[in-house]
Amino acid sequence: MPRKLVVMIGGVAFLIGCSGVLAIYFGKDRLLGLASASPNGLQCIDINLVTIRKDNRFWVRKYIRTNPTDGVTRVTTALRVAKAVYQEQKPDLVQVVVLDENGPTLRSDIRGRALGADVVYVPHPEKLADGSTETPVTARYYDGGASTAGLFYGEQITMLPRDIDTAIAGLKDLSDCDNALAADASAGDAKKDKLKAAIAAEEKAAAKQAKEQDNTPSPPEPKSTGNVRPGYDRNGEFIGADAAMDEKGPSAELDPTMTGAADRRSPVTN
């Protein structure tokens, strides 16, 4: 054989042998720059959280992110998070989607190859009246890595029920992601509760003040200013007046200082 061909074959064999030794020594995942696989998945970070309450249904959808890893580890992480969410909140449906760190951020763009792994967990399928699912868990993933645009390549794998059961059985710890979104939501809920309490206190104080005003006795009617009709009452007692008022209204012809005695002659002088 020509010497050049021999050298080329020897070089290729040497490279293959070195790659195999490095893979054994460092591990395949570290050699490829991927996070090491774990039966419990990887740590993750929440990107978005959506809760839906409608028609006596409670659905939770989570978008999470992990370090670059293989498809099996991504879907295992999603299965773990779905089980953790159900244990904590007991929703009717949990969906967990794994995205790449460079993936889309708009919800309308999170579809297709942007979904590195997608898990839907319905603990009680019989409760779904529309019959949209018959199995408690469905899981799928792309077996390749992600591009610089955050889109995953490779073949899409839909896991068989027995493979899903095996992956769930291998989970050692049902832990959620580092849930910064939940912490923000809890702080927001605390602020809302505080605002509601302040509004309720104001309404209670206003109602108490209105009740006190209703129970306050009416002030006495002001004493007569003397603007009454001059003359005598039914017992013949003189009532007098200091202003001229008749049945039709005030009269400008009478002196306000008169007592009304001019309307009747005095029995003493006459």
Side-chain angles (χ1 to χ4, degrees):
M1 298 178 63
R3 181 179 299 178
K4 185 179 293 185
L5 180 61
V6 172
V7 172
M8 291 177 61
I9 294 174
V12 171
F14 178 77
L15 290 175
I16 293 175
C18 290
S19 299
V21 171
L22 289 174
I24 293 173
Y25 183 77
F26 292 106
K28 179 190 66 175
D29 297 327
R30 290 183 60 187
L31 190 63
L32 298 177
L34 302 177
S36 59
S38 169
N40 207 49
L42 298 178
Q43 292 183 347
C44 53
I45 299 175
D46 280 342
I47 301 175
N48 198 356
L49 174 66
V50 180
T51 58
I52 303 173
R53 297 180 183 270
K54 185 178 180 181
D55 298 334
N56 296 324
R57 295 181 182 179
F58 177 30
W59 293 0
V60 176
R61 180 181 296 128
K62 294 190 71 170
Y63 300 94
I64 66 174
R65 179 183 297 154
T66 66
N67 291 329
T69 185
D70 59 274
V72 174
T73 306
R74 283 195 300 269
V75 77
T76 302
T77 304
L79 288 169
R80 186 198 76 219
V81 172
K83 296 287 286 186
V85 170
Y86 176 74
Q87 282 191 350
E88 181 180 357
Q89 304 184 38
K90 295 296 187 296
D92 299 311
L93 182 146
V94 184
Q95 182 179 11
V96 179
V97 177
V98 182
L99 305 175
D100 183 67
E101 58 183 356
N102 298 321
T105 56
L106 295 178
R107 196 179 305 169
S108 58
D109 297 333
I110 301 177
R111 52 190 174 85
R113 290 192 172 271
L115 281 62
D118 182 12
V119 169
V120 177
Y121 177 37
V122 183
H124 302 286
E126 67 277 2
K127 291 184 178 181
L128 297 182
D130 55 0
S132 56
T133 183
E134 297 180 356
T135 57
V137 186
T138 57
R140 58 184 180 177
Y141 63 92
Y142 284 102
D143 59 357
S147 65
T148 55
L151 302 180
F152 292 88
Y153 55 87
E155 183 183 359
Q156 187 181 54
I157 306 297
T158 300
M159 297 182 68
L160 298 175
R162 63 173 180 271
D163 296 333
I164 295 175
D165 293 339
T166 301
I168 293 176
L171 297 175
K172 304 299 182 181
D173 178 28
L174 299 180
S175 59
D176 204 343
C177 296
D178 296 335
N179 203 349
L181 292 177
D184 294 341
S186 299
D189 292 340
K191 291 181 180 179
K192 290 180 181 178
D193 294 340
K194 188 175 181 180
L195 179 60
K196 289 180 180 179
I199 294 175
E202 290 182 1
E203 292 178 349
K204 186 177 180 180
K208 183 178 180 181
Q209 184 177 3
K211 186 176 181 180
E212 290 178 353
Q213 290 178 354
D214 293 339
N215 295 333
T216 302
S218 301
E221 295 183 359
K223 296 182 179 180
S224 174
T225 59
N227 296 332
V228 296
R229 182 178 178 181
Y232 296 82
D233 60 12
R234 64 179 63 181
N235 296 327
E237 297 290 336
F238 174 69
I239 59 176
D242 61 0
M245 295 288 293
D246 58 12
E247 294 180 355
K248 296 182 179 180
S251 174
E253 297 178 358
L254 297 179
D255 187 353
T257 62
M258 296 185 63
T259 62
D263 292 348
R264 185 169 182 175
R265 293 185 178 182
S266 172
V268 176
T269 59
N270 298 313

